Short mmCIF file of all heavy atoms in Angstrom, two decimals:
data_model
loop_
_atom_site.label_atom_id
_atom_site.label_comp_id
_atom_site.label_asym_id
_atom_site.label_seq_id
_atom_site.Cartn_x
_atom_site.Cartn_y
_atom_site.Cartn_z
N GLY A 10 5.08 23.40 11.83
CA GLY A 10 5.27 24.00 13.09
C GLY A 10 4.83 25.37 13.12
O GLY A 10 3.98 25.85 12.36
N LEU A 11 5.29 26.16 14.12
CA LEU A 11 4.84 27.57 14.41
C LEU A 11 5.94 28.46 13.89
O LEU A 11 7.08 28.28 14.37
CB LEU A 11 4.41 27.78 15.85
CG LEU A 11 4.12 29.18 16.25
CD1 LEU A 11 2.85 29.69 15.57
CD2 LEU A 11 4.01 29.34 17.78
N VAL A 12 5.67 29.46 13.16
CA VAL A 12 6.58 30.42 12.67
C VAL A 12 5.94 31.78 12.63
O VAL A 12 4.73 31.93 12.42
CB VAL A 12 7.14 30.12 11.31
CG1 VAL A 12 6.05 29.99 10.25
CG2 VAL A 12 8.30 30.95 10.91
N GLN A 13 6.77 32.86 12.79
CA GLN A 13 6.22 34.25 12.76
C GLN A 13 6.12 34.66 11.30
O GLN A 13 6.80 34.17 10.45
CB GLN A 13 7.11 35.20 13.54
CG GLN A 13 7.14 35.07 14.99
CD GLN A 13 7.94 36.14 15.75
OE1 GLN A 13 7.82 37.31 15.38
NE2 GLN A 13 8.69 35.73 16.75
N ALA A 14 5.15 35.58 11.03
CA ALA A 14 5.04 36.15 9.70
C ALA A 14 6.35 36.69 9.22
O ALA A 14 7.10 37.32 9.97
CB ALA A 14 3.99 37.25 9.75
N GLY A 15 6.68 36.40 7.97
CA GLY A 15 7.94 36.80 7.34
C GLY A 15 9.09 35.74 7.50
O GLY A 15 10.05 35.79 6.84
N GLY A 16 8.82 34.71 8.30
CA GLY A 16 9.76 33.63 8.52
C GLY A 16 9.71 32.58 7.47
O GLY A 16 8.85 32.67 6.52
N SER A 17 10.37 31.48 7.68
CA SER A 17 10.53 30.44 6.64
C SER A 17 10.31 29.06 7.42
O SER A 17 10.57 28.87 8.56
CB SER A 17 11.89 30.42 6.05
OG SER A 17 12.12 31.60 5.25
N LEU A 18 9.93 28.11 6.59
CA LEU A 18 9.63 26.73 7.13
C LEU A 18 9.74 25.83 5.94
O LEU A 18 9.29 26.18 4.77
CB LEU A 18 8.31 26.63 7.77
CG LEU A 18 8.07 25.43 8.70
CD1 LEU A 18 8.97 25.57 9.90
CD2 LEU A 18 6.61 25.44 9.19
N SER A 84 8.89 33.87 3.43
CA SER A 84 8.02 35.03 3.56
C SER A 84 6.56 34.71 3.89
O SER A 84 5.59 35.10 3.31
CB SER A 84 7.99 35.85 2.20
OG SER A 84 9.33 36.31 1.79
N LEU A 85 6.46 33.90 4.97
CA LEU A 85 5.22 33.29 5.32
C LEU A 85 4.24 34.37 5.85
O LEU A 85 4.68 35.35 6.45
CB LEU A 85 5.43 32.22 6.35
CG LEU A 85 5.92 30.90 5.78
CD1 LEU A 85 6.43 29.96 6.92
CD2 LEU A 85 4.73 30.15 5.04
N LYS A 86 2.97 34.19 5.54
CA LYS A 86 1.92 35.10 5.93
C LYS A 86 0.96 34.35 6.85
O LYS A 86 0.81 33.15 6.71
CB LYS A 86 1.23 35.62 4.73
CG LYS A 86 2.12 36.29 3.68
CD LYS A 86 1.27 36.73 2.46
CE LYS A 86 2.12 37.32 1.37
NZ LYS A 86 1.41 37.76 0.22
N PRO A 87 0.22 35.09 7.69
CA PRO A 87 -0.80 34.37 8.43
C PRO A 87 -1.84 33.59 7.70
O PRO A 87 -2.27 32.56 8.10
CB PRO A 87 -1.52 35.51 9.27
CG PRO A 87 -0.44 36.52 9.38
CD PRO A 87 0.40 36.47 8.10
N GLU A 88 -2.14 34.06 6.48
CA GLU A 88 -3.04 33.33 5.63
C GLU A 88 -2.55 32.06 5.05
O GLU A 88 -3.25 31.27 4.46
CB GLU A 88 -3.63 34.20 4.49
CG GLU A 88 -2.41 34.94 3.75
CD GLU A 88 -2.21 36.34 4.17
OE1 GLU A 88 -2.09 36.50 5.41
OE2 GLU A 88 -2.12 37.20 3.27
N ASP A 89 -1.27 31.73 5.29
CA ASP A 89 -0.69 30.46 4.88
C ASP A 89 -0.90 29.36 5.96
O ASP A 89 -0.64 28.25 5.70
CB ASP A 89 0.85 30.55 4.70
CG ASP A 89 1.30 31.52 3.54
OD1 ASP A 89 0.62 31.38 2.48
OD2 ASP A 89 2.20 32.28 3.68
N THR A 90 -1.45 29.79 7.10
CA THR A 90 -1.78 28.79 8.13
C THR A 90 -2.73 27.78 7.65
O THR A 90 -3.82 28.07 7.11
CB THR A 90 -2.37 29.55 9.37
OG1 THR A 90 -1.37 30.37 9.91
CG2 THR A 90 -2.83 28.58 10.42
N ALA A 91 -2.36 26.52 7.75
CA ALA A 91 -3.20 25.44 7.23
C ALA A 91 -2.58 24.07 7.52
O ALA A 91 -1.37 24.09 7.93
CB ALA A 91 -3.38 25.51 5.76
N GLN A 119 0.77 20.37 10.18
CA GLN A 119 0.16 21.62 10.58
C GLN A 119 1.25 22.73 10.45
O GLN A 119 2.32 22.57 11.07
CB GLN A 119 -0.41 21.64 12.00
CG GLN A 119 -0.84 23.06 12.47
CD GLN A 119 -2.14 23.43 11.71
OE1 GLN A 119 -3.09 22.67 11.62
NE2 GLN A 119 -2.19 24.74 11.26
N VAL A 120 0.96 23.77 9.71
CA VAL A 120 1.78 25.02 9.70
C VAL A 120 1.01 26.12 10.22
O VAL A 120 -0.07 26.45 9.71
CB VAL A 120 2.21 25.19 8.20
CG1 VAL A 120 2.99 26.65 8.14
CG2 VAL A 120 3.14 24.15 7.76
N THR A 121 1.52 26.79 11.23
CA THR A 121 0.80 27.95 11.80
C THR A 121 1.74 29.15 11.71
O THR A 121 2.92 29.18 12.21
CB THR A 121 0.46 27.69 13.25
OG1 THR A 121 -0.38 26.51 13.30
CG2 THR A 121 -0.27 28.82 13.80
N VAL A 122 1.23 30.26 11.10
CA VAL A 122 2.01 31.48 10.98
C VAL A 122 1.32 32.55 11.83
O VAL A 122 0.20 32.91 11.61
CB VAL A 122 2.05 31.94 9.47
CG1 VAL A 122 2.95 33.19 9.37
CG2 VAL A 122 2.57 30.85 8.61
N SER A 123 2.06 33.04 12.83
CA SER A 123 1.54 34.02 13.67
C SER A 123 1.77 35.46 13.11
O SER A 123 2.83 35.63 12.43
CB SER A 123 2.13 33.93 15.19
OG SER A 123 3.61 34.12 15.03
N PRO A 124 0.92 36.39 13.42
CA PRO A 124 1.03 37.76 12.93
C PRO A 124 2.13 38.48 13.56
O PRO A 124 2.67 38.14 14.57
CB PRO A 124 -0.30 38.40 13.10
CG PRO A 124 -0.78 37.65 14.32
CD PRO A 124 -0.37 36.25 14.16
#
Side-chain angles (χ1 to χ4, degrees):
L11 175 65
V12 63
Q13 293 187 41
S17 298
L18 198 65
S84 301
L85 283 162
K86 305 174 181 179
E88 50 262 46
D89 295 318
T90 295
Q119 177 71 47
V120 173
T121 302
V122 184
S123 62

